[in-house]
Amino acid sequence: MNTKAGNLLIISAPSGAGKTSLVHGVVKRMQNIAASISHTTRPRRPGETDGVDYFFITEPEFEKMIQEGEFLEYAQVFGNLYGTSRTQIDRILDTGIDLLVELDWQGARSIRDIYPDTVSIFVMPPSEKALRERLVARRMDQKEIIQQRMQAAMSEISHYREYEFLVINDDFERALQELCLIVGASRLKTASQRKSLRQILDRMASEDSV
Ligand code: 5GP
């Protein structure tokens, strides 16, 4: 067992629920945690930076990475491909740093199958109305795309029961505090502490049984 292995936390939400800002907030506020950067074939939006928000790649490049087994999981979302790099995740977790991975419900299922200890969090917008307003306020997408995203959002929301934790993002600061609490609690899980404290814990447990 790698005694330094960090915890893997997956976070899903419909687009417009504020998940990305929350993830950035947690990484800023807490120590020893990073956010993974996915690969996507989706065009870059204004304000997004390659290698920061996503690795923006072409479809042939994405296909090549699939062939080479580079993705831990990948899925098609709104007609674009999104994937989580196996190397990136393993490299970060091996250094003992916790990792927050943003993905949709399909990706969340795949990751949970591979890493059963994964902590899963769903971020919910406060209402359908608020979600629509946020999608429109972004003004990044055309009207039909917003409609499509609205439908996709409702379908994403239908999977919320598959997650261990639920955060309602009606107040950003409170939602951020709740996410930080979840990260903190995941570090206190027995399985998580056993990675670094195994010897001490085993010794105490055996003394107790004498
Ligand atoms: P957006 O284009 O709005 O940034 O993201 C669209 C959707 O793709 C979101 O639900 C987001 O969670 C999901 N997504 C982002 N990265 C990944 C990934 O690596 N794998 C999967 N399966 N979904 C992802």
Side-chain angles (χ1 to χ4, degrees):
M1 186 190 286
N2 177 359
T3 54
K4 276 174 81 185
N7 293 317
L8 186 60
L9 299 101
I10 50 181
I11 175 160
S12 298
S15 51
K19 165 187 56 172
T20 306
S21 313
L22 284 171
V23 166
H24 289 161
V26 172
V27 171
K28 231 175 166 179
R29 196 166 285 194
M30 294 189 81
Q31 292 195 330
N32 250 30
I33 186 155
S36 82
I37 304 167
S38 296
H39 287 70
T40 184
T41 60
R42 154 166 92 57
R44 197 151 55 90
R45 294 190 189 125
E48 287 183 330
T49 310
D50 185 37
V52 175
D53 299 288
Y54 282 104
F55 292 108
F56 295 96
I57 58 174
T58 62
E59 265 187 43
E61 285 169 335
F62 201 100
E63 293 297 336
K64 188 163 172 271
M65 287 180 75
I66 295 175
Q67 305 296 321
E68 291 170 351
E70 179 49 40
F71 289 122
L72 203 53
E73 65 75 37
Y74 64 92
Q76 191 164 32
V77 189
F78 315 125
N80 296 304
L81 292 161
Y82 294 80
T84 310
S85 150
R86 188 186 297 274
T87 329
Q88 189 194 159
I89 291 214
D90 288 345
R91 192 168 35 80
I92 296 175
L93 291 179
D94 281 353
T95 61
I97 290 178
D98 293 344
L99 189 62
L100 270 173
V101 184
E102 278 183 59
L103 29 66
D104 78 327
W105 65 272
Q106 306 169 82
R109 274 191 186 172
S110 311
I111 298 268
R112 264 194 303 254
D113 286 347
I114 304 167
Y115 298 103
D117 283 342
T118 303
V119 173
S120 60
I121 309 154
F122 195 89
V123 176
M124 189 77 97
S127 68
E128 197 176 329
K129 186 168 163 274
L131 181 67
R132 183 179 293 278
E133 280 167 7
R134 286 186 201 173
L135 283 177
V136 172
R138 275 179 166 189
R139 288 182 198 278
M140 292 169 188
D141 298 318
Q142 295 152 345
K143 234 183 186 164
E144 318 83 79
I145 308 231
I146 290 177
Q147 196 47 39
Q148 253 180 40
R149 281 180 177 262
M150 198 60 207
Q151 275 167 13
M154 300 320 282
S155 133
E156 184 80 25
I157 287 173
S158 71
H159 291 275
Y160 81 91
R161 291 178 197 82
E162 297 170 25
Y163 294 74
E164 265 179 289
F165 293 96
L166 185 64
V167 171
I168 314 283
N169 188 12
D170 49 358
D171 175 85
F172 181 81
E173 185 50 38
R174 214 200 51 220
L176 180 55
Q177 274 177 23
E178 288 178 357
L179 262 184
C180 291
L181 281 174
I182 296 167
V183 173
S186 75
R187 291 176 175 168
L188 295 175
K189 279 187 149 187
T190 306
S192 173
Q193 300 211 61
R194 254 179 81 77
K195 287 180 212 158
S196 53
L197 301 174
R198 188 170 191 161
Q199 280 187 341
I200 301 170
L201 292 170
D202 284 354
R203 202 173 47 239
M204 285 199 286
S206 70
E207 278 166 11
D208 192 41
S209 65
V210 176

